[in-house]
Structures are given as structure tokens and as C-alpha cells.
Amino acid sequence: MPATHEVTNQVPPLVGHDVAAYPALLQSLELGGAGWAVDEVRALGRRAGSEEAQEWGRLAERHHPELRTHDRHGHRIDEVEFDPAWHQLMTVAVEAGIHAAPWGDDREGAHVARAAKEFVWGAADPGHICPISMTYAVVPALRHNADLAATYEPLLTSRVYDFGLREPSTKRGLIAGMSMTEKQGGSDVRANTTRATPAGDGAHVLVGHKWFTSAPMSDFFLTLAQAPGGLSCFFVPRVLPDGSRNAIRLQRLKDKLGNRSNASAEIEYDGALGWLVGEEGRGVPTIIEMVNMTRLDCAIGSATGMRVGTLQAVHHARHRSAFGRHLVDQPLMANVLADLAVESEAATYAAMRLAAATDRVVRGDEHEALVRRVALAVSKYWICKRAPAHAAEALECLGGNGYVEESGMPRLFRESPLMSIWEGSGNVAALDTLRALARQPEGLGAFFDEVELAAGADSRLDDAVARVRKELTSLDDLEYRARRVVEQLALVFQGSLLVRHAPAAVADAFCASRLAGDWGVAFGTLPAVDTTSIIDRTGL
Ligand SMILES: Cc1cc2nc3c(=O)[nH]c(=O)nc-3n(C[C@H](O)[C@H](O)[C@H](O)COP(=O)(O)OP(=O)(O)OC[C@H]3O[C@@H](n4cnc5c(N)ncnc54)[C@H](O)[C@@H]3O)c2cc1C
């Protein structure tokens, strides 16, 4: 009998690796003053690469959350049920302090360490990073109400994941969400229609809807609503201080393209009680403090996606043969892999530099605040914008196997456009850069000071900086040109970081392709560069 089902030339699963075994990440930890966290990040990186964590990620995505609006007797319960794997992922994330822990940690580099942990642990499952990120981001905004912050900040920073609907102050740890987007608009939140009426005892009564509120099982949300004095930010817990349920109705969960392990809900505030955070009428500036942090996580999350895609592609190419040679040894595949790796490194250095800026801003560094304002806006735009193209190309490196769910690549691909939509879609992120430049013109100088730390080291970078400076001398049609200008700013920021910190092979490939234009439109169009060194940097 001839063997009909002998399996050859199939690639072993990529498990048991260390996601953190990545020089770009480890060096960024040192640069950001978080060298002390290397061991913890490595341990988490090994955990993220373990079979167990990858299985949690698969299960949480496969058995996506289910909404239970009522109990069997018809009472509203508004609960979301998750696969146990989701809770495992959340437990590890909270124990590692990826949520709000840095706000209770005075060590220099605490926010950098947290960013690196998020980078590696997000490789296990991107969906649960959403509530983890919002919990991180809520603290600076919540501090606009000192009483609420005094009560809840210790519970937000606690390392205990305590799931379940109970009065927040009785729990051992809290998770938070944000509730801004309504049916008629997400970018233009000033058009919000949810009303907040003073209840006379310091609370407000909220009536209205929200069209896209992720992590609806959170313990509380920061919610925008129209108060008599204008659009304002409210602390809205799901369980009230007297232990009763707040009137927040989960109408349905979104059937999303990706991010399926995480729940995102349409909700209605049916006379829910909320407490003002920040001044009445200053809702946007208050909640922007939260958005500022989640935007950083959009950049980190997209960089994680690129890391995962590059790892999978390189792993496959090292094991799979075609036409008598391993794919990695085929010159054209080497070009594709190196191009993916360069994009991934550029995103990693930039995201981690922004985490370092965040850490310094928290400690009162005003110059870093100026750099961060511009560099984060351009990087949120650019890193997130590059993620889908990167995921698609990485998927294709696995051939037909990459198109099959079991490879994990469809999950990566489905997730990839999200970060560019959330917290300011592409155009809004680009326009946000222009707003930053208009409001704080000195920010542009600080940004260029940072970029020009690499001045003279590579003429292609110098020329690119001169070009974008010239582009900014005319303000005519700047809104129309916003994406073009922002892309150039993001590229010189990445180029400067790579020229200063990455090995020559990576910096050279970046400058030749992204800055000097010796490149095509698709990945895999690098000129002659040292592809072997670049691919070896992935750690596989
Ligand atoms: C998975 C997921 C989770 C989410 N979770 C939350 C959450 O937890 N809380 C929450 O509040 N929201 C959440 N959102 C909503 C998200 O923040 C909004 O979808 C986003 O802000 C865009 O708003 P919108 O969908 O209303 O699109 P619109 O505002 O209608 O924008 C549509 C398009 O027009 C562009 N555009 C807008 N203004 C301009 C302009 N002036 N010039 C040029 N182009 C412009 C935008 O860039 C976008 O491409 C989530 C979305 C997703 C997909």
C-alpha cells in the first residue's frame, strides 16, 4: 500500500520562543531608563511565546464573548460571559502590571517597562490589551477629581484581577473603560447628545446612548455627556455605592472584523448616575488625557503586530523549502523578510521612544512633553497605518497556510486595521498633528531637535529632514497635505532613531528605502542591503 499521507516540508508551530528576545526592544528598555526590568520582560516574553499562552489567545478569540442581557426570570443583568482563557490572559497582564501599575511605581522607566511588557504580552492576544490599556490610560484623567482618584487609584494600580460586578470600592482590583463614540459621530465628540442633569447631591443623571464602548464589563467608564455647562466627563460605575446596579443597559455586542476576544458594546444610559471628573464643560480636555495614553498603546499594539508577523514569516521561511532551498535562502524572499523586519524595528524603536517620553513627562520634563506631543501624533498615524500592509505581507510569506485560521495569521490580519481607526482614525490623527503644531509652535522645534540628534550621520536622513522642513514652510493647503507631511515627519523620527541606535544594516536599509526613495510600493523592494544581518535581528 503506498503511503498517501506522509507529511513533509510542513513547518513546526512557532512555540516556546521568547517574544522579548529582540535587540530593538531590549535596547529601548535601556535607553528609556528601564534596564532594571529586562529580566521581567524576558520572563513575560517567554510566557507569551509558550504553548499555553498561545492557546489562551486562540481560545479567547474562538469563543468570543457573549452578552447576557436578562436572567431567566426576565431581570436585566447586562453581563458579558467570557471564555476562561480570557480571564487567564487578563490575570497575567494585571499581575505583570501592564495595566495601571506604573502610576504607583516611582522608579525611573516604570512606564517604559510597562510598554515593553505590553509589547510582548500583546503577542499572546491583542484583544484583552484593550481593557488593560484603558485601565492604564484612565488614571491621569481620573486625577482631575481628587476624591475619586484617592478612592479608586489604589485599586486600579493593584496587581489583582478581580472580575465580576460588585461595588468598585469593595473589589481588590479594577478595570476601566471609556465611553465617547455615539451613533452620529466618533471623531467629532462635541456632537455627543447624551445628557447629564444635576441630581442635586453632587451626582448627575445620564440619559443617552453610546455606539461603541469596548470592555463593557469594566468596573467604571469615563463617559462624555452634555451637562448644563457643556460637554463634560463623568465617572460612571456599573455598580453604585449602595450596591445596586447603575442604569447602564448593554444593548448588543458588535460583530467585529477582528479584536474578537474583546467585547465592544452599544450601551444606553437610562438614568445612570455619574460624577463629574474635571470641570464642567471641559470634558474633551479631561478625557484627552486618557486618549493621550491609549494613543501610545495604539502605536505599541501595532508594533507588536509587526513583531508577531515578522516572527511568523521568518520562522516559516527558515523551515519551508521550495525549489530546492529554504525560503529564507531565496534572494527575493530575503528581500521581503528584511523589508518586514526593518518596518518592525522602526515601529518598535519609535513606540518605545514614545514610552520613554511618557515616562519623562510624568516626571515633569517639559521638553519631552513637546517632543511627545508631535512625535506621538505622527507615530500614531504612521505605525498604525503600516500595520495592515505589514500583516498582509507577513501572511503571504506562509503561502496558503497563512490564509488558514490555524496559522494565527488571519487573526493578526483582522486585528491590524483597528489601531488606525481607534483613538483618532487616520485623517483625524494627521489633523491632530496640525492642531498640535498650531497650538504649540515650539513643539515643532523640539521635535526637530530630537530628530537632529542624528544630524550628519547619514546624508539621506539629513536630506529628508530638509525636505519636510521645506514642506512646512508653506501653510497653503496644509490640511489637504496633512497625511503627506505627517508621514514624512514620522519617517524622519524613525530614521533618526535607527541611525542612532540600530545596527548599520537596519539603518542603511531604512534610509535607502523609506527616506531616499530607493524602494517600490510593496514590501520586498529593498535595494541591495545586508538582508542576512537584518533578518537575524529578529532573534529566530
Ligand atoms: C474595535 C473598536 C473598539 C472601539 N472602542 C471604543 C471605545 O471603547 N470607546 C469609544 O468611545 N469608542 C470606541 N470605538 C469607536 C472609535 O473610536 C470610532 O469608531 C472612531 O473614533 C471613529 O469615529 P466614527 O466611527 O464615528 O467615524 P467618523 O467620525 O464618522 O469618521 C469616518 C471617517 O472620516 C474621517 N474624518 C473624520 N473627520 C474628518 C475630517 N475633519 N477630515 C477628514 N477626514 C475626517 C475619519 O478619519 C474616518 O476615516 C471603537 C471602535 C472600534 C472599531
Side-chain angles (χ1 to χ4, degrees), residues 254-319:
K254 299 287 194 188
D255 185 4
K256 295 176 289 185
L257 167 69
N259 196 256
R260 290 195 187 160
S261 62
N262 182 35
S264 301
E266 294 166 18
I267 68 178
E268 290 194 6
Y269 294 95
D270 186 11
L273 291 181
W275 285 264
L276 202 54
V277 178
E279 281 174 47
E280 189 170 326
R282 303 270 306 154
V284 173
T286 304
I287 211 159
I288 279 289
E289 301 240 12
M290 185 169 183
V291 172
N292 249 326
M293 293 296 163
T294 45
R295 282 184 178 160
L296 168 66
D297 285 3
C298 290
I300 296 170
S302 296
T304 297
M306 291 187 203
R307 170 77 177 141
V308 171
T310 309
L311 279 174
Q312 291 287 355
V314 170
H315 174 73
H316 188 87
R318 287 211 191 280
H319 289 85

Side-chain angles (χ1 to χ4, degrees), residues 130 134 177-189 210-215 256 258-259 262 264 418 420-429 431 479 483:
C130 169
M134 290 196 290
M178 65 163 86
S179 198
M180 301 186 290
T181 305
E182 298 188 356
K183 292 189 186 80
Q184 72 281 356
S187 309
D188 186 7
V189 291
K210 294 289 170 182
W211 183 236
F212 233 125
T213 295
S214 290
K256 295 176 289 185
N259 196 256
N262 182 35
S264 301
L418 172 57
S420 188
I421 296 174
W422 198 47
E423 302 302 38
S425 309
N427 287 351
V428 172
L431 294 174
E479 190 169 331
R483 281 189 181 221

Side-chain angles (χ1 to χ4, degrees), residues 15-20 39-57 88-89 91-93 95-96 120-125:
V15 286
H17 60 294
D18 176 359
V19 180
D39 289 346
E40 286 175 49
V41 172
R42 295 296 298 258
L44 199 61
R46 286 190 292 276
R47 198 142 188 215
S50 71
E51 202 169 348
E52 179 183 53
Q54 295 200 20
E55 183 63 0
W56 289 341
Q88 301 277 17
L89 290 159
T91 301
V92 174
E95 284 176 0
V120 298
W121 186 243
D125 165 64

Side-chain angles (χ1 to χ4, degrees), residues 140-216:
L142 192 66
R143 286 179 179 172
H144 286 270
N145 182 322
D147 290 343
L148 290 173
T151 307
Y152 297 112
E153 196 171 317
L155 298 169
L156 289 164
T157 55
S158 131
R159 301 267 184 137
V160 180
Y161 171 62
D162 190 1
F163 182 77
L165 264 181
R166 296 194 304 286
E167 201 273 301
S169 69
T170 65
K171 295 183 74 172
R172 291 178 300 150
L174 301 178
I175 296 295
M178 65 163 86
S179 198
M180 301 186 290
T181 305
E182 298 188 356
K183 292 189 186 80
Q184 72 281 356
S187 309
D188 186 7
V189 291
R190 287 180 195 277
N192 272 191
T193 59
T194 299
R195 299 261 145 217
T197 310
D201 56 357
H204 281 69
V205 178
L206 273 63
V207 177
H209 80 280
K210 294 289 170 182
W211 183 236
F212 233 125
T213 295
S214 290

Side-chain angles (χ1 to χ4, degrees), residues 474-493:
S474 160
L475 299 182
D476 293 346
D477 295 333
L478 196 52
E479 190 169 331
Y480 180 74
R481 290 185 286 125
R483 281 189 181 221
R484 194 184 158 93
V485 173
V486 167
E487 179 176 319
Q488 290 176 21
L489 289 168
L491 287 171
V492 295
F493 180 61

Side-chain angles (χ1 to χ4, degrees), residues 494-519:
Q494 293 186 336
S496 170
L497 289 166
L498 291 178
V499 164
R500 280 182 283 148
H501 305 304
V506 177
D508 176 47
F510 186 92
C511 291
S513 56
R514 277 80 170 160
L515 299 182
D518 192 359
W519 201 32

